[in-house]
Amino acid sequence: MKKVTKAIFPVAGLGTRFLPATKSIPKEIMTLVDRPLIQYAIDEARAAGIKEFIFVTSRGKGALEDYFDHAPVLEQELRKKGKDQLMEVLKNTNMESGAIAYIRQHKALGLGHAVWCARRLIGNEPFAVILPDDVIAAEKPCLQQMVEAHQETGGCMVAAMEVPQSKASAYGLLDVTEDHGQLVKVGGMVEKPKPEDAPSNLAVIGRYILTPKILNNLNKKQKGTGGEIQLTDAIAQEIGGDEGVYGYRFNGERFDCGSKAGFLQATVSFGLGRDELRDELWGYLRELVASEKAAQ
């Protein structure tokens, strides 16, 4: 079985839920504490053994490309002032020449279409897809957990998380035929069903390991929910095939940073996770809660 060494990052969205900030900067550059959303995704991919990073972008994403470039003037200033620790921080933002590629998605035709745009760079290899909006805090990064499980199963694998029935219409839901704890065998996938039509409460989260067959399925350009080319529809076509489709219940906490509330929750959580920020932030939150109780 070939190792998963390529990952697609669909980052062509306009980020309209974060206007006016996203009028001038890509949403993926917005920071949780002091690291952009895209840096969390890149770090997770690196930990999973990803060597080739493929970004599906659109017009206005120049700042995203610049972020991963070297900054000679900044590096020179940090060196001159002896700020070695900041130099180390900066190193993690640099990508080796040839490790990163950018593909344009000219029309917003759905997640499946974004993945299809990168087909020529994938070839005949399994690959990962990471949605930077889904930030997952985990002791062992989510994609690394999945890559290790995929070595045993092969086929297609999606990250899965249990969600309340009332929120079923916001996700792709899995129809589970075999449940082995962390790993489940998938018998069907439904994109954003009505709560009463949901086959389970196990939702697909923005991490995927896919076979090249998915690209053939996407090549048909069949439109699904919302008139878009849905990635879940292409994956569903592999159910019952030789390799099958699996869901993986990952260990970790997922934050939906595509929403303002989720972004704020992630900021607080990651801030409390930093030794140099925890005491001051926690003190502020305690005062806030006490003030709220007093007002009531």
Side-chain angles (χ1 to χ4, degrees):
M1 188 183 302
K2 291 182 179 179
K3 289 185 177 180
V4 180
T5 60
K6 296 181 179 181
I8 297 173
F9 300 80
V11 292
L14 296 175
T16 52
R17 283 188 283 182
F18 284 88
L19 283 169
T22 48
K23 178 184 177 182
S24 60
I25 61 170
K27 178 182 60 178
E28 298 79 19
I29 294 295
M30 293 177 64
T31 57
L32 294 179
V33 188
D34 54 6
R35 290 165 62 198
L37 289 176
I38 194 63
Q39 186 68 57
Y40 289 91
I42 287 291
D43 290 345
E44 182 178 331
R46 283 171 168 163
I50 299 300
K51 303 297 182 186
E52 297 181 48
F53 306 81
I54 304 165
F55 287 76
V56 181
T57 69
S58 59
R59 182 179 294 276
K61 299 286 183 173
L64 182 63
E65 297 183 21
D66 290 342
Y67 175 77
F68 291 110
D69 203 350
H70 288 259
V73 175
L74 177 58
E75 292 171 11
Q76 185 178 351
E77 284 298 309
L78 292 177
R79 250 186 241 104
K80 189 188 299 182
K81 295 178 180 178
K83 297 186 176 181
D84 297 335
Q85 190 173 357
L86 287 178
M87 280 293 295
E88 284 300 313
V89 170
L90 209 58
K91 276 184 183 178
N92 290 328
T93 70
N94 295 336
M95 302 289 283
E96 295 179 9
S97 297
I100 191 165
Y102 300 95
I103 300 290
R104 280 286 180 98
Q105 183 186 22
H106 297 297
K107 294 182 179 179
L109 299 178
L111 177 57
H113 180 260
V115 171
W116 175 84
C117 287
R119 65 198 182 282
R120 290 188 177 90
L121 295 179
I122 294 300
N124 193 33
E125 298 181 36
F127 61 98
V129 177
I130 299 180
L131 306 189
D133 276 359
D134 281 337
V135 177
I136 300 174
E139 187 173 339
K140 178 185 286 188
C142 177
L143 189 62
Q144 183 180 352
Q145 297 176 44
M146 293 175 65
V147 165
E148 291 174 0
H150 185 261
Q151 288 295 308
E152 302 297 324
T153 64
C156 293
M157 182 177 289
V158 299
M161 178 183 81
E162 294 180 357
V163 298
Q165 186 178 15
S166 60
K167 295 185 178 181
S169 60
Y171 298 91
L173 275 294
L174 300 180
D175 185 0
V176 177
T177 56
E178 297 177 27
D179 193 331
H180 302 287
Q182 278 199 300
L183 197 68
V184 301
K185 189 75 178 287
V186 177
M189 301 176 74
V190 182
E191 184 66 26
K192 299 180 180 179
K194 294 179 180 178
E196 61 271 20
D197 296 331
S200 74
N201 67 341
L202 204 56
V204 178
I205 301 304
R207 302 291 185 274
Y208 308 80
I209 297 177
L210 306 174
T211 68
K213 292 181 181 178
I214 295 301
L215 300 174
N216 293 332
N217 297 342
L218 290 171
N219 205 40
K220 301 170 188 174
K221 298 182 181 179
Q222 295 175 341
K223 293 183 179 181
T225 303
E228 296 183 336
I229 300 172
Q230 298 289 350
L231 182 60
T232 49
D233 290 344
I235 297 171
Q237 293 178 45
E238 295 304 305
I239 293 172
D242 294 337
E243 297 179 292
V245 177
Y246 301 87
Y248 185 82
R249 288 189 179 98
F250 58 90
N251 293 319
E253 184 176 6
R254 174 255 188 178
F255 297 94
D256 177 13
C257 290
S259 71
K260 292 176 184 176
F263 192 92
L264 291 171
Q265 291 163 11
T267 300
V268 172
S269 180
F270 280 90
L272 291 173
R274 297 277 287 271
D275 292 340
E276 74 276 20
L277 300 174
R278 184 183 302 113
D279 291 344
E280 188 174 349
L281 181 56
W282 187 240
Y284 171 74
L285 292 173
R286 278 198 298 249
E287 288 177 10
L288 202 63
V289 171
S291 177
E292 182 70 20
K293 286 181 177 178
Q296 292 175 353

